[in-house]
Amino acid sequence: MKYIYSFLFFSLVYTSLLAQVKVSGKITGNSKSPAPLAVVNLQQQNSEQTRVVQTDSLGLFSFTDVDKGNYSLTITYTGYQKTEVKLNLQRDTTLSITLADNTTQLNEVKITASKATVENKSDKLVYNVSTSATSAGADALTVIGRVPGVKVGDNDLSIVGKGSVKVMVNERLVQLAGTDLLRYLRSLSASQVTSIELIKNPGAAYDAEGNAGLINITLKHSKKQGYSGSVQINDKQWLHSPASVYGTSNYWWLNASGDFNYNTAKLSAYASVNVDHDHELEGFETDIYYPKQTWLQTDTGNYRYHNLNFIAGADYRFSPKVTAGVNYQGGKNTYDGSDHVNNPIINNATGAIDSTLRTYATYHPVAISNAVNLHSTINLDTAGAKLVLNADYFNYYRTDRSDFESNTYLTDGSLNAASRNRYHDTNKQDINIYTFKADAIVPIKYACFAFGGKLSFINNYSNAFYYKRAPNDSLKYDPNLSNEFTYTENTQSVYGSINREDGKWKYQAGLRIERTETKGFSHTLNQTTINNYTRLFPSATVSYQAGVDHSLSLNFGRRVNRPTFWNLNPFKSLFTAYSYGEGNPYLQPEYNTNFEISHTYKNRLTSAIFLNVTNNGFNSVTIARPDTNLVYTTPLNFIKTYRLGISENYSMQLLSWLDNNNQFTFYHTDAKSAISAVKNISGFGAYIASNNNIYFNADKSFSGAVNFWYQFPEIDHIGRSDAYYKLDLGLKASVLKKKVDVSFVMNDVFRSSASAVTTTVNGIRQKYTNFQINRYALLGISYRFGNSQSKTEKQDTGNQDEKGRVH
């Protein structure tokens, strides 16, 4: 009997297979060149069920296990007309389809409005800046903070539950970190930005830098014939509480920016400029709870910021096979201001103030950056094989001077003259980076191969000279605080990867090998530190299209986070008479291994389980000594971290007037400490975010936005953070034939987006609160001229790794 059942079962399977066919084909443009990543939609007649694929690098597509019947095959591809083919499928069918040029000129606003603000794709999350009303008039740093799941800290950028990320601009890693990186991102206007991409699992072709992934900022670059451009002016008013600080409420920000593009059949030229001036407050509080005393230290900075940023470039097509170009980015940033430190020392037994330490310091940092990129793309054949060459030079030159005075006041408010400390210091940082990079892409019938290599040469000189100021204002050099430091780093890397599609399966695997040689020399200490190492960075992605509405994906990758050059410099930087920070020349890179399994339903709901493991992790540790009350901060390698979590991303597409995206992440962090001064710590964390664009009319020329996120308490390195949240509101109207945009934004409505982290080191509890002032009202006006329709083009460059580490 079992043989009869088996025969019937296999007969049914065989009959079912005979009732299914395969549809495949090739999509080309009118020049017979392949159309890679064209969207092919197969829909059965009288059915709402559809199947969608994208063509590979050769323009090939395939649908398997298709039921016989009548179908409609639709192809859409940027720059070409939408093509529809009616099919009666009774057997395996192979098609060859040539697309026609799209000669219809569409209005730019309509193109923009058709895009959702947040697009959650399998390999990255895309935030389309121009569609968000709250992004109008903002800077790039503010916009990054609105990307769901990205957190802007007081000194870095990170992904919720996953760790730090590095930043690229047009595929080029920004060669800055810490405060300098945040200030650089502020120098870019959101009007210059097309989109911000959060790359979740960068492949082997990307540099291995960045623990949790990469953020890529794509700048606007129109490719339409003729000229086009825009100008913009924005005014921001900071809303403090109390309204008046240091005797004034006149805290403001004024920005003006413009861009210009000119294109012919062979030449594409572009330029943009951005100018900022403002008056603002910065600040933080550090509370240290000694056994007998409590130190409550607040540090408020009163600064005036001046910025000039310039971008220019040109690309020229020498032939259908060869294109070459040059790009320049440069700027000058100046901060003029002062820090006011107030530190009352409270007696724990009586609750009274024993004394008060007050410090006043002036600063004048000036940073000048210059980056030049030469690039060329050589098409090797009509099948998509090409060679991309890049040569980059980057220079970052920063100077600073400071006058520092610290005094102690007794219980009755009188000055303790013996406690007076005054210093004058100057410091400089000069970084030169040269990179050379070659990438080859070779598609064949069964797969697409990519391989390449990169050479990087870094030279960094920095100094800090301290002078003790005498009562008569004469200066005496202090060799104990001063330092000169030279650092060189040479990195050679090669990689290879393969991308293959086989029916419902897609495979991508790669391996990157990096050899790094570093040398640090302290001229003052006569100390040399050498560190050479070779590391492997594998990556892999396997995805399966389980059905029309369901897809599964498995991602794996290993990445590195190298110390900033400033963290490797063993010099001391004074905060107060009792506190300072210093670098660590022995600091090693940390390594991060990422695993993720995800499921996507109808391209609307993405569910994922992730695991991140950080080895040899480093963090700045603030060590307080109760015997001397001396507080110093230094970076150390001592953490191993495990993060296990789940995430949900849902885009609601039920209402034509609402563009909605929601994210929820829940995770557990277990941080293991390798030093006795810091105990192990673990705990849960959660994050929710909702981005909403609301359109008030049919052509979407008048819109509003409501964006909100809430970070629940979590483990932050070796500390535990409090909850904090942010609400942004915005309105945007396009008038005068949609050439003029008027926007109004309320940022951080409740002034609630600053974090507070509590740590315990050597048994002494510390709490760090960042009360950066983020609440403001902004009014912006922009005007577009020339050809208003734009097409963004990105150019990969060669120094994507090193530019993330300057501090």
Side-chain angles (χ1 to χ4, degrees), residues 157 164-168 173 176-177 209-211 213-216 560-562 564 800-801 804-805:
L157 304 173
S164 63
V165 292
K166 299 298 181 182
V167 177
M168 298 187 297
L173 212 67
L176 300 169
E209 187 79 12
N211 269 356
L214 295 168
I215 290 175
N216 181 46
V560 63
N561 184 28
R562 294 184 174 91
T564 66
Q800 299 171 338
D801 179 39
R805 295 170 52 212

Side-chain angles (χ1 to χ4, degrees), residues 170-191:
N170 283 352
E171 302 277 338
R172 185 189 313 172
L173 212 67
V174 178
Q175 193 72 327
L176 300 169
T179 303
D180 287 322
L181 171 62
L182 303 188
R183 289 176 178 174
Y184 169 77
L185 294 175
R186 284 188 54 191
S187 73
L188 295 176
S189 171
S191 65

Side-chain angles (χ1 to χ4, degrees), residues 457-494:
F457 306 95
I458 300 173
N459 294 280
N460 171 37
Y461 170 80
S462 57
N463 65 40
F465 298 131
Y466 279 86
Y467 302 86
K468 183 79 171 181
R469 188 181 293 274
N472 63 356
D473 286 338
S474 63
L475 299 177
K476 182 180 180 180
Y477 178 67
D478 189 335
N480 295 322
L481 291 177
S482 301
N483 183 257
E484 282 188 89
F485 184 67
T486 300
Y487 176 84
T488 60
E489 177 179 300
N490 300 327
T491 301
Q492 309 92 42
S493 59
V494 294

Side-chain angles (χ1 to χ4, degrees), residues 430-456:
D430 187 11
I431 299 174
N432 292 277
I433 301 176
Y434 306 86
T435 57
F436 306 92
K437 188 170 184 282
D439 300 273
I441 300 175
V442 182
I444 60 174
K445 182 177 180 181
Y446 299 103
C448 181
F449 292 92
F451 53 90
K454 177 180 175 182
L455 300 176
S456 172

Side-chain angles (χ1 to χ4, degrees), residues 288-291 621-627 630 632 636 673 675-679 718 759-766:
I288 302 176
Y289 300 89
Y290 292 107
V621 179
T622 300
I623 301 174
R625 296 181 55 180
D627 54 340
L630 186 66
Y632 69 94
L636 300 172
S673 172
I675 58 177
S676 59
V678 180
K679 303 299 181 184
I718 58 170
T759 60
T760 300
V761 180
N762 276 336
I764 299 175
R765 183 166 62 94
Q766 311 163 20

Side-chain angles (χ1 to χ4, degrees), residues 224-246:
K224 288 297 177 179
Q225 296 295 301
Y227 73 92
S228 62
S230 67
V231 292
Q232 183 176 45
I233 186 169
N234 307 286
D235 180 67
K236 179 191 299 182
Q237 183 67 42
W238 303 101
L239 302 176
H240 299 156
S241 181
S244 180
V245 183
Y246 297 122

